[in-house]
Amino acid sequence: MRFSKRHDDKVRLSRLVNLYLLLLLAGAGYLQPANGSEQGGALTDWSFGGHSKYQYIHTFIPESSVLQGISGDSLQDHSFEARLKISARRERFDFEAHGQFIIVHSDSLAGYRELPGLIIPGSDVINDDRRWFNLTHEFNNENKNASLARLDRASIAYTGDKTVIRFGRQAISWGNGLLFTPMDILNPFDPTAVDKEYKSGDDMLYAQYLLDSGNDVQAVAVVRRNPVSGELEQDQSSLALKYHGFLGGKEYDLLATDHYGELVLGLGGSTDLGGAVWRGDLVWGDTDSGSVLSGVLGVSYSGVLGGRNWTGFMEYYYNGFGQEGGEYSPVELASNPELLKRLSRGELYNLGRHYLGASLSFEMTPLLNLTPNFFVNLADPSALVQLVLSYSWAQDIQLLAALGMPFGSNGTEYGGIETGQTELYLSTGPYLFAQFAWYF
């Protein structure tokens, strides 16, 4: 079933965007007081804030990489992002909007443009090709450069005694995984991302109902477009229902989803055992190629060492969509369309089947945290090691730095996958990451 196939694309999108903006403006208008700060005896609370971030990444390129012939020995990526946040609340209604302005000057962006046919998640600037509403305007997007303005959040919500309903561009996170999140199928983070402050928002209707027991039911409808035709299609959208419950000192989640036209079922939970927190998710999908099972199991612990706080966790991740035996040549990947679909949608970021992830966070001082992260493909074997430093320079200034080091031979996931060209691999070497963030 398709939502629309007969109307002109531009007219249809214009009407939908106008309807979307009218609903949001109607909500914001209700929140806007007529005189001063009160209307009808009800107080409207407004808040403004945001941040600006400058980010630099320097990536070294090994001699066997196909990127050598495009970008030389290294890639230098500069980006600037400003986010303005506005929110308001009056009685049981609230409104939220986040505007983004992004400028990119990136060797990586230019390099990946020269590699057609290869699916590389996160290798392009953000766009709204799949989203219900096109709320992104590109000023420029070619070669190394891109600049754009967009709405990353824009929603109106009603909160009752037991009910929450929110319509608009927003983000949700589901599941119990900390690095690997197979139950977070709507818009997960890349496990290796250094900055995970904000997910990109999606256009959806979200509802939550709180039961007397403390358990709750959540429902989500995410409407998307076919990125090729631009049409709204049911088999590109998602309808999800999740039940979150408590059983003694344990928590559990039950998930049922019609996701891109496929049935997805999930079971997850967490519990305290032996002074640690154990958590996990099991997700089953009925795909065009048959049933696929994925899951994550992890344990986390915290303590004090030498008078300093520390937290750590370890996870085993089974990616049922991944390649068996660690074969990632273009021919092998082409025989796994279910994996390629999820990579192109930004739903998966791992090529293999079996992974081990670990993270330790040390509070060196109250303002400085050191966090080593480890990502290991157990089948290759290959690995990525990150060393992340987070420093609160001032109350409204945050410095973030990271050193990433991939390990593995040619032909492995982190060492470099085959490109189909003799002795050339899609690989990168160590990289340096630095970010300066100012909050206001």
Side-chain angles (χ1 to χ4, degrees), residues 30 44 56 88 128 213 216 230 240 279 289 314 327 361 367:
Y30 174 80
T44 300
Y56 172 74
D128 287 340
S213 62
D216 67 84
R279 64 186 88 230
S289 302
M314 182 178 294
E327 296 292 335
S361 182
L367 302 179

Side-chain angles (χ1 to χ4, degrees), residues 61-189:
I61 305 300
E63 293 183 359
S64 59
S65 174
V66 67
L67 294 171
Q68 269 276 349
I70 299 173
S71 302
D73 296 334
S74 65
L75 303 172
Q76 298 189 59
D77 303 328
H78 304 262
S79 66
F80 172 81
E81 184 239 358
R83 179 182 291 257
L84 176 63
K85 303 188 295 182
I86 303 173
S87 63
R89 175 178 291 275
R90 177 170 178 257
E91 294 180 333
R92 294 185 178 273
F93 291 87
D94 69 84
F95 169 79
E96 180 183 39
H98 292 195
Q100 276 185 300
F101 180 67
I102 300 171
I103 301 176
V104 175
H105 179 73
S106 168
D107 290 340
S108 296
L109 184 62
Y112 290 135
R113 293 187 200 274
E114 300 295 322
L115 300 174
L118 293 177
I119 299 175
I120 307 170
S123 61
D124 200 359
V125 293
I126 190 170
N127 60 61
D128 287 340
D129 289 350
R130 291 185 180 273
R131 292 181 173 89
W132 186 359
F133 302 106
N134 188 355
L135 305 178
T136 296
H137 176 73
E138 289 185 351
F139 301 99
N140 177 39
N141 187 8
E142 59 183 359
N143 299 324
K144 295 183 179 183
N145 303 308
S147 58
L148 55 97
R150 64 189 305 271
L151 282 177
D152 189 55
R153 301 283 193 277
S155 62
I156 185 76
Y158 169 82
T159 303
D161 293 334
K162 294 185 177 181
T163 305
V164 176
I165 300 175
R166 180 175 290 276
F167 170 74
R169 181 157 293 184
Q170 54 192 295
I172 62 171
S173 296
W174 284 345
N176 296 282
L178 299 178
L179 285 178
F180 304 104
T181 55
M183 191 179 285
D184 196 8
I185 61 176
L186 298 179
N187 51 355
F189 277 120

Side-chain angles (χ1 to χ4, degrees), residues 403-418:
L403 169 65
M405 296 172 289
F407 296 91
S409 59
N410 290 331
T412 61
E413 181 173 9
Y414 294 112
I417 64 174
E418 297 180 28

Side-chain angles (χ1 to χ4, degrees), residues 172-186 188 199 218 242-244 251-255 266-270 279-283 296 315:
I172 62 171
S173 296
W174 284 345
N176 296 282
L178 299 178
L179 285 178
F180 304 104
T181 55
M183 191 179 285
D184 196 8
I185 61 176
L186 298 179
K199 279 186 169 185
Q218 299 177 51
K242 187 175 80 73
Y243 184 89
H244 178 74
E251 298 183 45
Y252 64 93
D253 296 296
L254 303 174
L255 175 69
L267 170 66
S270 62
R279 64 186 88 230
D281 295 315
L282 197 61
V283 180
V296 62
E315 291 182 343

Side-chain angles (χ1 to χ4, degrees), residues 48 64 72 99 149 165 240 242 251 281 293 314 317 325 331 343 350 373 419 437:
F48 302 88
S64 59
I165 300 175
K242 187 175 80 73
E251 298 183 45
D281 295 315
L293 190 68
M314 182 178 294
Y317 171 49
V331 174
L343 290 172
N350 299 97
N373 298 317
T419 62

